[in-house]
Amino acid sequence: MLARLRDATWNHGYGDAIIDTAVPRPDASHLVPIRIDIDPRYLTRVGSVDFDGNHALSASTLRRALILQPGTLYTRDAVLESERRLFESPALARALVVVPPAGDSVNQITIDVTQVPRHHATATA
């Protein structure tokens, strides 16, 4: 349940929300009131987008596949869709958005990419 709450707040642009729970000991009636506090803090937006592990493709080519653009809301759905779009590229074996540490409303995004090794072929006649 907490993961769903965290995902829901992140999808509304609150990527650094703090979710706190309080679960007291059960009383004689065996009922436990659960308290969940959500502090959304601030809206998180995408700052710059950088790529690690990219050697053959231009950064502008990779950026065209991204939903994560500077100035847009930093949401979970945008992260997952950007990873999916990059992974669908035949030139990339892996694409992973590195989630920045919490603490700022503008997130500097780094995307680790692993390129598919070039295939070599030789022929002799």
Side-chain angles (χ1 to χ4, degrees):
M1 184 168 106
L2 293 177
R4 285 187 177 188
L5 286 172
R6 184 167 288 111
D7 290 348
T9 56
W10 187 7
N11 275 330
H12 283 88
Y14 297 97
D16 293 330
I18 296 174
I19 299 176
D20 189 29
T21 60
V23 182
R25 294 180 184 238
D27 58 8
S29 66
H30 300 291
L31 298 175
V32 179
I34 297 174
R35 179 182 169 139
I36 300 174
D37 294 321
I38 300 174
D39 180 8
R41 296 173 69 188
Y42 41 77
L43 282 173
T44 51
R45 298 199 175 273
V46 176
S48 64
V49 179
D50 298 315
F51 296 94
D52 282 342
N54 179 31
H55 303 293
L57 300 171
S58 70
S60 62
T61 300
L62 294 172
R63 277 192 187 93
R64 279 194 294 255
L66 296 179
I67 301 271
L68 295 168
Q69 298 293 327
T72 60
L73 284 178
Y74 177 68
T75 64
R76 180 178 185 270
D77 287 343
V79 169
L80 295 175
E81 180 64 18
S82 294
E83 287 177 340
R84 185 188 66 78
R85 287 182 175 191
L86 287 171
F87 186 70
E88 286 178 346
S89 168
L92 298 177
R94 182 180 71 97
L96 178 68
V97 175
V98 177
V99 178
D104 195 3
S105 62
V106 178
N107 291 325
Q108 309 306 322
I109 306 297
T110 303
I111 300 175
D112 285 333
V113 294
T114 303
Q115 296 176 345
V116 173
R118 295 182 182 171
H119 300 288
H120 295 10
T122 59
T124 56

